[in-house]
């Protein structure tokens, strides 16, 4: 592997918990004879060496005659461990100095400092996991919402692996049927009939669904960018505070209070959303405020959805129409300060035609909370329209998986097209190529570069 050098079996050690004051800390070890090596620093070496798998041994970590910390050692014996090797986890008190002292002592005893992702890589190497499950580990760590965590947990449980294997089996059975007829033909028609076109077309549909799933999975993994924009004093900061349920932004009746953008993560029905409160759009001679307006324009260009806030009492102005006519992102027009239920402002037909991607309009009161739920639903609807709704069936968890499945889909589609005009030998070649690409998804066929890309993103200790 190019970026990281892993040495299988060699005893490795890593700190598996953050180096911050906490109740507990964990130091992990794995590799050949790692428990025997750990026992040299343990107050009860014989008990630790004799411990069976999935048991916990109490004692002290010792440096000579000096006690470092009172610990519990969880023992795992090969192959029934996360890595598939001998493995142990030392649970100690959570002071950074204590954790580091144990870690450094084990390094002096002969353990090598683990590389990023080396524990999970060893699990992959020893057949304890596949690449889709390995990537799901990092996805769970990085998850920003309940939905993204649940989807990643499904992949960790093998949802994508099982789906890929099911599709591979259909392709394998098709190849076998064709090759039997090629080897032992009765007549040309029998050879042609051996190719189950309908079955392979269903494979195309299944692969296309997997490819399409990546957009929505990515939305729930990475989140979306929502920019609150509009003229000064339209109530952007008040709405920002309502969405976050805290007073993050300064709210004032003085125009131009917000001069720079604020941002914070929140969740809209399970979708992680990064909300930006921006400087009000207006012409100004104040150089600082002008820079804030320029930043607002820059943010709107990269936003997934814009919420354009209009003061309902003032109404739509020429500046509003000019800005909205130039937006290229989906826009939700929010009529704010509709504190009175009788207020029913709305866009004219001419104004609607000005906005290239109008995602709807709604009434809202940042003061009373009126329309907040409707606003969240409208943002979710706009994001789902752009990225696709998440479904119950397995979804791909990374761009790497999506690219490999796309390549497999292209080979299967080519096999269907060519079956009408080429020999079935060419069809078999396409289907075999598809199997290779599907093998890259799970890791049954892979390269060092792919492994490097997957595991180098892990933290040390995973």
């Amino acid at each position: 592997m190019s970026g990281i050098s892993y040495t299988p079996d060699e005893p490795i050690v890593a700190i598996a918990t953050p180096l911050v004051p906490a109740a507990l800390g964990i130091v992990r070890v794995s590799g050949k004879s790692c428990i025997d090596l750990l026992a040299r620093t343990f107050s009860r070496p014989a008990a630790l060496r004799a411990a069976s798998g999935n048991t916990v041994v109490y004692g002290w970590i010792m440096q000579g005659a000096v006690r470092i910390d009172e610990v519990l050692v969880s023992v795992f014996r090969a192959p029934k461990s996360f890595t598939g090797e001998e493995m142990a986890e030392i649970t100690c008190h959570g002071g950074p100095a204590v954790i580091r002292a144990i870690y450094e002592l084990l390094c002096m005893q002969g353990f090598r400092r683990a590389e990023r992702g080396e524990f999970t890589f060893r699990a992959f190497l020893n057949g304890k996991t596949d690449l889709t499950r390995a990537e799901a580990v990092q996805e769970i760590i990085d998850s920003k919402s309940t939905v993204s965590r649940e989807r990643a947990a499904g992949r960790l449980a093998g949802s994508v692996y099982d789906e890929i294997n099911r599709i591979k089996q259909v392709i394998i059975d098709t190849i076998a049927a064709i090759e039997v007829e090629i080897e032992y033909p009765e007549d040309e028609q029998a050879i042609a009939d051996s190719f189950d076109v309908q079955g392979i077309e269903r494979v195309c549909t299944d692969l296309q669904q997997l490819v399409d799933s990546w957009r929505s999975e990515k939305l729930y993994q990475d989140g979306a960018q929502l920019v609150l924009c509009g003229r000064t004093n339209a109530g952007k900061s008040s709405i920002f505070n309502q969405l976050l349920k805290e007073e993050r932004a300064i709210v004032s009746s003085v125009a131009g209070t917000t001069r720079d953008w604020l941002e914070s993560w929140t969740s809209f029905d399970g979708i992680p959303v990064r909300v930006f409160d921006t400087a009000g759009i207006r012409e100004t001679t104040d150089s600082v405020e002008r820079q804030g307006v320029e930043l607002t324009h820059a943010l709107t260009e990269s936003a997934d959805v814009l919420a354009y806030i209009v003061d309902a009492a003032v109404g739509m102005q020429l500046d509003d129409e000019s800005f909205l006519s130039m937006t290229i992102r989906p826009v939700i027009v929010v009529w704010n300060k509709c504190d009175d239920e009788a207020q029913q402002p709305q866009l004219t037909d001419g104004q609607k035609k000005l906005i290239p991607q109008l995602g709807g309009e709604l009434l809202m009161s940042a003061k009373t909370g009126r329309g907040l739920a409707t606003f969240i639903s409208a943002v979710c609807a706009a994001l789902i329209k752009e990225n696709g709704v998440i479904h119950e069936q397995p979804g791909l968890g990374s761009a790497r998986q999506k690219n490999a499945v796309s390549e497999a889909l292209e080979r299967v589609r080519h096999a269907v097209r060519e079956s009408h005009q080429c020999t079935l030998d060419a069809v078999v070649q396409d289907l075999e190529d598809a199997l290779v690409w599907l093998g890259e998804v799970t890791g049954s066929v892979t390269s060092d570069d792919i492994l490097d890309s997957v595991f180098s993103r892990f933290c040390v200790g995973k």
Side-chain angles (χ1 to χ4, degrees):
M1 295 172 69
S2 58
I4 298 176
S5 177
Y6 296 122
T7 306
D9 291 335
E10 188 177 12
I12 56 172
V13 60
I15 298 171
T17 48
L19 276 173
V20 295
L24 299 172
I26 295 176
V27 179
R28 308 178 90 184
V29 298
S30 184
K32 188 175 181 180
S33 303
C34 71
I35 293 174
D36 183 63
L37 198 57
L38 173 61
R40 299 177 190 178
T41 67
F42 196 61
S43 61
R44 301 172 60 214
L48 185 57
R49 291 189 177 102
S52 56
N54 302 317
T55 60
V56 178
V57 183
Y58 163 79
W60 286 78
I61 295 295
M62 308 287 294
Q63 186 169 15
V66 178
R67 294 181 175 182
I68 293 181
D69 193 26
E70 188 178 26
V71 301
L72 295 173
V73 179
S74 301
V75 177
F76 307 94
R77 297 291 183 177
K80 296 181 178 181
S81 71
F82 174 69
T83 60
E85 306 171 326
E86 273 198 357
M87 190 176 171
E89 292 186 348
I90 305 159
T91 303
C92 59
H93 292 96
V98 173
I99 299 170
R100 188 169 289 281
I102 294 172
Y103 174 67
E104 296 296 343
L105 174 62
L106 294 180
C107 290
M108 289 189 291
Q109 288 296 321
F111 284 95
R112 174 173 61 76
R113 301 172 195 268
E115 301 284 355
R116 285 179 175 271
E118 188 164 3
F119 287 86
T120 309
F121 174 74
R122 290 187 176 199
F124 168 72
L125 206 61
N126 293 321
K128 303 294 289 186
T129 189
D130 69 289
L131 285 190
T132 64
R133 290 184 176 97
E135 287 175 304
V137 171
Q138 191 63 34
E139 291 166 28
I140 289 175
I141 294 170
D142 295 338
S143 59
K144 298 181 177 70
S145 72
T146 300
V147 174
S148 60
R149 175 186 55 77
E150 289 173 347
R151 298 294 292 181
R155 284 185 284 276
L156 182 60
S159 61
V160 172
Y161 177 83
D162 292 341
E163 179 67 2
I164 292 295
N165 274 357
R166 182 189 67 79
I167 293 171
K168 283 172 66 177
Q169 192 59 53
V170 174
I171 296 174
I172 290 168
D173 291 345
T174 303
I175 292 172
I178 294 172
E179 290 186 335
V180 166
E181 290 299 334
I182 291 174
E183 290 294 328
Y184 308 101
E186 294 182 8
D187 53 52
E188 291 186 4
Q189 186 59 44
I191 295 175
D193 291 343
S194 68
F195 180 47
D196 181 9
V197 177
Q198 289 185 339
I200 294 300
E201 285 176 343
R202 286 193 294 272
V203 165
C204 288
T205 300
D206 294 340
L207 291 175
Q208 185 64 62
Q209 286 180 346
L210 282 174
V211 171
D212 293 342
S213 74
W214 167 235
R215 290 182 65 191
S216 58
E217 294 288 343
K218 189 174 187 296
L219 171 64
Y220 283 85
Q221 281 183 25
D222 297 344
Q225 184 170 301
L226 167 66
V227 174
L228 308 178
C229 53
R231 287 174 54 80
T232 57
N233 259 6
K236 299 181 295 298
S237 295
S238 297
I239 293 174
F240 182 77
N241 290 340
Q242 280 275 11
L243 293 172
L244 301 183
K245 297 180 175 59
E246 60 177 295
E247 298 297 317
R248 278 289 310 278
I250 297 173
V251 176
S252 171
S253 59
V254 178
T257 300
T258 304
R259 297 185 168 210
D260 197 357
W261 48 264
L262 296 175
E263 63 170 293
S264 187
W265 283 99
T266 188
S267 176
F268 284 11
D269 294 339
I271 300 176
V273 178
R274 189 181 180 191
V275 186
F276 289 82
D277 177 28
T278 62
I281 297 168
R282 68 169 179 172
E283 293 295 328
T284 177
T285 57
D286 186 304
S287 61
V288 176
E289 186 181 354
R290 187 168 61 250
Q291 289 181 38
V293 174
E294 291 172 356
L295 284 172
T296 297
H297 283 280
L299 281 172
T300 59
E301 293 175 4
S302 61
D304 294 288
V305 178
L306 301 180
Y308 194 85
I309 317 300
V310 182
D311 186 337
V314 176
M316 189 76 70
Q317 304 294 303
L318 289 176
D319 286 348
D320 298 316
E321 294 179 355
S322 175
F323 179 87
L324 288 169
S325 66
M326 294 186 293
T327 57
I328 58 173
R329 309 304 300 155
V331 179
I332 299 169
V333 174
V334 180
W335 296 94
N336 189 33
K337 303 185 183 179
C338 294
D339 306 336
D340 185 349
E341 295 286 340
Q343 288 178 283
Q344 297 290 326
Q346 60 182 6
L347 295 169
T348 66
D349 290 340
Q351 289 168 340
K352 291 178 182 178
K353 291 178 181 178
L354 283 174
I355 307 172
Q357 290 200 61
L358 178 62
E361 60 178 316
L362 55 92
L363 309 181
M364 192 170 180
S365 170
K367 180 179 179 180
T368 66
R370 175 191 179 189
L372 186 64
T374 304
F375 174 75
I376 291 172
S377 296
V379 172
C380 290
L383 292 172
I384 288 171
K385 182 180 179 181
E386 287 287 303
N387 298 279
V389 66
I390 200 162
H391 297 287
E392 289 301 317
Q393 64 259 35
L396 301 180
S398 69
R400 182 196 69 79
Q401 295 173 22
K402 182 257 184 185
N403 292 337
V405 173
S406 296
E407 292 286 353
L409 175 59
E410 180 54 36
R411 300 309 188 277
V412 174
R413 281 177 172 164
H414 190 263
V416 172
R417 291 195 301 269
E418 294 303 307
S419 66
H420 302 297
Q421 54 193 22
C422 293
T423 65
L424 288 185
D425 287 336
V427 172
V428 168
Q429 184 60 58
D430 279 328
L431 295 179
E432 288 178 343
D433 289 344
L435 287 177
V436 171
W437 282 107
L438 292 176
E440 287 214 356
V441 177
T442 59
S444 59
V445 177
T446 191
S447 67
D448 285 351
D449 287 342
I450 290 174
L451 296 179
D452 202 9
S453 173
V454 170
F455 293 103
S456 64
R457 296 184 297 108
F458 281 58
C459 57
V460 175
K462 290 303 292 181

